[in-house]
Each structure stands twice: as structure tokens, then as C-alpha cells.
Amino acid sequence: MQNWEEIDNMKDFLVKDILEICDGKLICGNQEEVCEDTRNIQKGDVYVAIRGEKYDGNMFVTEAIQKGAKVCIVDKLCKTEEEIKKYLKKTIILVENTVKALQELAKYKRNLYDIPVVAVTGSVGKTSTKDAIASVMKQKYNVLKTEGNLNNHIGVPLTILRLKEHNAMVIEMGMNSLGEISVLTNIAKPTICVITNVTTAHIGILGSRRNILKAKLEILEGMKKDGIVIINNDNDMLHKWKETESSEYKVYTYGVENESDLMAKSIKIEENSTIFESNVNNEKHKIEVPVPGTHFVYNSLCAMSVGINLGIGIEKIKNGIKTMELTKNRMDVLAGKNNTTIINGCYNASYDSVKAGIEYLAHYKGNKKIAVLGDMLELGNYAKELHEKVGEEIIKNKIDVLVTVGGESKNTCKKAKELGMDEKNIISCETREEAIEKIQKIYEPKDVILIKASLSMGFMEIKKALEE
């Protein structure tokens, strides 16, 4: 088997490689041309014309070439072959489907690298867990990780195609329906699979948590034969799977409540950090996490589990946890107007992530605690129940003011009122603009404001209006 140094020079494609891998047709250009990158449109790069719901990348081939792309992969010719050859004078490859071509190229490139690949999935916490894992792995490896939320059928291959001098990779895998993670894992071929939890996210589409578990477990289909599965043993669905269905896998568990291979004890949540103790190799260690919240204890335990299984020393693991940096819009703390603090969670909202956000808010010192929440989407018949449970969390965590936007969130307001919250501190809005106006009238210096909603709710507009 090749080692890292021997395969480092095999990272680039020739045009003839692309033609073979993608079963493409060379419309014009040189088969011996070197293709150095397939992600960014910069001078000398490759442009892959992806079709989306609202755009067709095939329409922008000329623009891509003008920006410097020397090779374009298309699945539709918007000009005649004669026009392309006459006016563009570049390499054009025609394939049946550009997304499939992108995936095949990524699969081919992945197979050139004999390196640790950690695949991360779960209902909530994938991105912050990925960040924690990458920070730990960077103590030993040159790590390539998923940037932002590029965790789908296009984002995963784009990430893999960025492999160059790296000798380890962390890939986040998301899904909305059955079969999606199966595609991703068979491209990435992970050596370690991580499942953070199975909750109610996407339950309106998948119908049950059992189906959500089934979708998450697809990640194991592409795992190497000697691979390791790392799971959150406190999650009821994963705990049951471990006890009854996991016998063919090497499973490593982490948790706080259920007895696990790696556990957190004596958890102390402070305003800007979390500290806990963990026993590693029969020695007790203090772990410092640079953000507050129980959910970050789980993220850290998961990252530690990966580090232990990769043979990274405990002191390096601890440093990786202590210095981890989280992807933006995942509960990052910002300065707001009038000396307020904003906790920004505008990217997504499931019940579990909203619950975690409320707990995060509750631990911040300040004047009033204000929760600005939008509808949680894709919950189907569970929508009313789960929005009511958010109202329960508002009361449980003693949040001072609740502001909501959306029809389903009225159930949150109703439940909070039923449980004793003063009606004057419950503000239900129809629009973001109304919410901004109401918040600006009530906030005071040193207030802490949580902004949490699914991306499509457009709460970035609220964040920008309140940000300093």
C-alpha cells in the first residue's frame, strides 16, 4: 500500500483522465492538459457546469473561460461545437451529467490517498463537531475539512477534490431523505464514521426517528472494513442500536449519562467556557472547552474519541479542544447595538438545536435574556408538539423575553404563557420587520439576545439590524 509521500505527486488530473473517469467526450482541447483544481474559477482551473433549481451552469461557460478556466466540463452545449471550437479555443468536455461526473472525479481522487478520513453525520451538531474533530486532528495531521456547510451531493465531492498536500480529512455529511448519505459515504470511503445523534430534524420528511436512524446509518456503507464507528451513547436511538444491532462493527462510545468508553464528569458551565473531567488511559484529565454549553461537552468528547482512536496524545487532544474555532453562524457571539450581546444561530433550527441555543443563552451573564426564535421547518405532524416544547424550554431556562416570527412559533408563545410567563414579555410577530421594530423598543444595555431560526426564515436580516 502506498504511503503519503509516494502519492503526493498523483494529486492532479489530465484531461484524458477526466474523459475516462466520466465517460466524457472531448469537444475541443488537449487530452494531455493538466487539471490542477476543480473547485474555484481561477486562472488555469477547471469549471464544472452544475445545474441548480434556479440556474444552469452550462450558461456560464464563456464567463468561466474569461475568468481563466482552461477546462470546462458541461452536460449541455449552449453553443454549437463549431462555435465553441472557433471562439473559445479551450478544452471542453461533454458528459451525461456534471454532478455525477463531479462525484466520480472525487471518488477517483479519494482512492489515490491512503489517509485517515473521518465522516461526520447526525441530526444536529454536525458542523461544530466537525470543527472540534478537525482541531484535534490538526495536532498531528495536515487536515482538510468541510468548509461551511458543504455537506451534500455537491459539497462533499468539491471538498475531496481540494485534497493536495493533506494527510487527513474530516467530511461532514448531511441529508434530507433516505439514500443521500449512501452516495456520499461511497465517495469519501471513511476510515472512521461519527454519528452525533438521531433527533427530530427532518422528521416531517422521513416520517419517524427510526427512518432518520436508518438514513444516518447509511454512512457505514462506505466505511473501510477495519473502520471504527464512534457514537453518542446518550442518544436513545444510537444507544439501542449499539446494544442490539452493532455486532459487526467496531464501536467506540462517548457520553455523560450512559456508561461509555469515554465520559465527561464534574461538568462546570461558565459564561464563556465549559470545563469537565475525563478519564483517559486510567488518568483523570481536565478538559477546557472555549464555549459554554452541554452540547459542546458532547462535541468535545466526540473529538477526543477520534483523537484517541488515531493515536493522538492526550495533551495534544486537550490543546485541540482548547483552541478549536467554530464555523460562523453556529452560536457565535457578536457585539450588538447599545452595548448588547448577540448569540447568532441564524443558520438552522431543529428542536434540539433551539433547545441547545436557549441553554446557551441562559448561561450568559447580562441584563435581560431575550430569545428571538423563528419557525422550525420540516417537522410535519410533529410541528405543534415540538414548538410547544420550545416554550417549555423558555420557562425552564428562565428566559426573560420571548420574540417569535411565524405561524408555528405561536405555539411556543402559547405554551410559555400557559406555564406562567408574563404576557407582556411574549411578543409574537408576523414579519421580521415587525420583530426588529419590537426588539429595538425593548432592549437595554447589557441585554443578551439569541437569534435562532432556519436559514430560509431570513433571520440574518434581524441579526444585521441589531448588530453594532
Side-chain angles (χ1 to χ4, degrees):
M1 186 173 289
Q2 294 170 311
N3 62 32
W4 168 247
E5 288 74 23
E6 291 173 331
I7 65 173
D8 188 37
N9 293 324
M10 299 173 63
K11 61 182 177 289
D12 297 331
F13 295 104
L14 297 177
V15 169
K16 65 181 181 181
D17 297 326
I18 297 176
L19 292 171
E20 181 178 351
I21 296 165
C22 304
D23 193 23
K25 176 183 178 182
L26 185 64
I27 302 301
C28 56
N30 177 5
Q31 290 196 51
E32 301 302 320
E33 190 81 66
V34 176
C35 305
E36 297 175 348
D37 189 72
T38 53
R39 182 169 186 252
N40 304 306
I41 309 174
Q42 298 177 356
K43 187 175 181 180
D45 290 342
V46 175
Y47 172 67
V48 182
I50 302 296
R51 297 196 207 195
E53 293 182 3
K54 299 180 179 179
Y55 65 91
D56 182 355
N58 295 287
M59 302 295 294
F60 303 101
V61 171
T62 301
E63 180 182 344
I65 289 175
Q66 288 172 346
K67 288 182 177 180
K70 65 180 179 182
V71 178
C72 294
I73 302 175
V74 302
D75 56 17
K76 181 174 71 175
L77 293 176
C78 298
K79 296 176 180 291
T80 66
E81 293 186 23
E82 289 73 20
E83 287 177 313
I84 291 172
K85 292 175 181 177
K86 180 178 179 180
Y87 296 111
L88 300 182
K89 297 181 180 178
K90 295 286 184 177
T91 299
I92 308 292
I93 299 172
L94 179 65
V95 298
E96 183 176 345
N97 182 298
T98 49
V99 172
K100 181 65 175 175
L102 189 71
Q103 293 172 348
E104 290 299 320
L105 288 171
K107 185 184 296 186
Y108 175 85
K109 188 160 191 177
R110 163 64 184 102
N111 288 333
L112 298 177
Y113 290 74
D114 179 24
I115 60 176
V117 175
V118 180
V120 183
T121 194
S123 295
V124 293
K126 293 185 294 294
T127 301
S128 53
T129 301
K130 169 207 68 183
D131 292 336
I133 291 170
S135 185
V136 167
M137 290 177 65
K138 282 178 181 177
Q139 307 302 305
K140 179 178 179 179
Y141 299 96
N142 183 358
V143 180
L144 172 66
K145 73 170 184 175
T146 301
E147 295 297 332
N149 199 44
L150 291 173
N151 63 9
N152 63 6
H153 63 298
I154 295 174
V156 168
L158 284 177
T159 299
I160 293 171
L161 287 167
R162 289 168 50 214
L163 272 169
K164 288 192 175 179
E165 71 280 5
H166 311 93
N167 58 358
M169 185 164 55
V170 184
I171 297 289
E172 179 182 336
M173 296 183 182
M175 65 89 202
N176 291 312
S177 59
L178 290 165
E180 294 182 359
I181 290 180
S182 177
V183 171
L184 304 182
T185 189
N186 280 294
I187 296 171
K189 296 294 182 184
T191 57
I192 296 177
C193 289
V194 168
I195 308 178
T196 62
N197 45 51
V198 176
T199 65
T200 55
H202 309 302
I203 197 168
I205 297 172
L206 287 161
S208 69
R209 290 181 70 211
R210 181 64 192 177
N211 280 342
I212 296 171
L213 173 64
K214 183 178 178 181
K216 299 302 182 186
L217 289 173
E218 289 174 3
I219 198 170
L220 306 180
E221 295 175 13
M223 187 175 67
K224 298 284 187 176
K225 288 185 178 180
D226 57 348
I228 299 166
V229 186
I230 296 176
I231 64 167
N232 173 359
N233 202 33
D234 287 348
N235 180 264
D236 60 335
M237 300 294 287
L238 292 173
H239 178 78
K240 183 177 179 181
W241 173 81
K242 165 68 167 60
E243 294 297 310
T244 61
E245 303 176 47
S246 67
S247 58
E248 64 181 288
Y249 302 102
K250 181 181 178 182
V251 181
Y252 189 92
T253 59
Y254 63 91
V256 175
E257 299 171 0
N258 292 327
E259 189 65 31
S260 304
D261 294 311
L262 183 68
M263 301 191 69
K265 303 288 185 180
S266 304
I267 298 171
K268 183 179 180 181
I269 300 175
E270 301 181 342
E271 182 177 3
N272 297 307
S273 64
T274 305
I275 298 172
F276 64 88
E277 292 180 354
S278 191
N279 193 307
V280 179
N281 297 327
N282 296 317
E283 291 184 0
K284 187 182 294 185
H285 293 271
K286 184 174 80 169
I287 311 300
E288 298 179 48
V289 188
V291 282
T294 303
H295 51 301
F296 287 112
V297 173
Y298 283 99
N299 296 348
S300 300
L301 285 172
C302 183
M304 292 173 66
S305 300
V306 171
I308 289 167
N309 278 279
L310 288 175
I312 301 174
I314 184 58
E315 293 303 321
K316 289 185 176 181
I317 289 174
K318 288 163 64 176
N319 186 63
I321 298 296
K322 188 175 181 178
T323 60
M324 69 178 176
E325 297 181 1
L326 300 177
T327 299
K328 294 298 181 183
N329 299 328
R330 264 67 172 188
M331 311 308 291
D332 42 316
V333 178
L334 310 169
K337 292 179 180 177
N338 198 21
N339 195 27
T340 58
T341 298
I342 295 172
I343 301 173
N344 178 25
C346 295
Y347 192 85
N348 62 15
S350 63
Y351 166 69
D352 291 272
S353 67
V354 172
K355 178 177 181 289
I358 293 170
E359 292 173 350
Y360 197 2
L361 171 64
H363 282 97
Y364 253 88
K365 293 180 182 178
N367 186 21
K368 295 194 302 296
K369 309 291 178 65
I370 303 173
V372 183
L373 309 177
D375 284 359
M376 300 179 293
L377 307 179
E378 298 180 352
L379 296 180
N381 295 331
Y382 295 86
K384 182 175 183 294
E385 174 190 350
L386 291 174
H387 281 85
E388 288 177 345
K389 288 182 69 175
V390 170
E392 294 173 5
E393 291 299 320
I394 291 291
I395 300 302
K396 178 182 175 182
N397 288 277
K398 300 179 181 180
I399 304 305
D400 300 299
V401 179
L402 171 63
V403 181
T404 69
V405 178
E408 292 293 350
S409 291
K410 294 180 188 297
N411 293 306
T412 302
C413 295
K414 182 179 178 181
K415 178 58 68 173
K417 182 181 177 182
E418 287 177 0
L419 295 175
M421 192 171 191
D422 193 327
E423 189 172 359
K424 74 176 188 299
N425 293 326
I426 302 174
I427 304 171
S428 177
C429 303
E430 299 297 329
T431 65
R432 296 184 298 272
E433 292 75 18
E434 180 186 357
I436 292 169
E437 181 182 350
K438 296 287 179 64
I439 296 165
Q440 288 176 332
K441 288 181 179 179
I442 63 171
Y443 69 51
E444 299 173 308
K446 297 185 179 180
D447 283 355
V448 186
I449 306 170
L450 167 69
I451 305 175
K452 185 72 175 165
S454 297
L455 185 62
S456 59
M457 291 295 291
F459 269 37
M460 290 295 288
E461 182 181 331
I462 298 176
K463 180 192 81 81
K464 290 177 181 176
L466 302 180
E467 198 172 1
E468 190 171 51

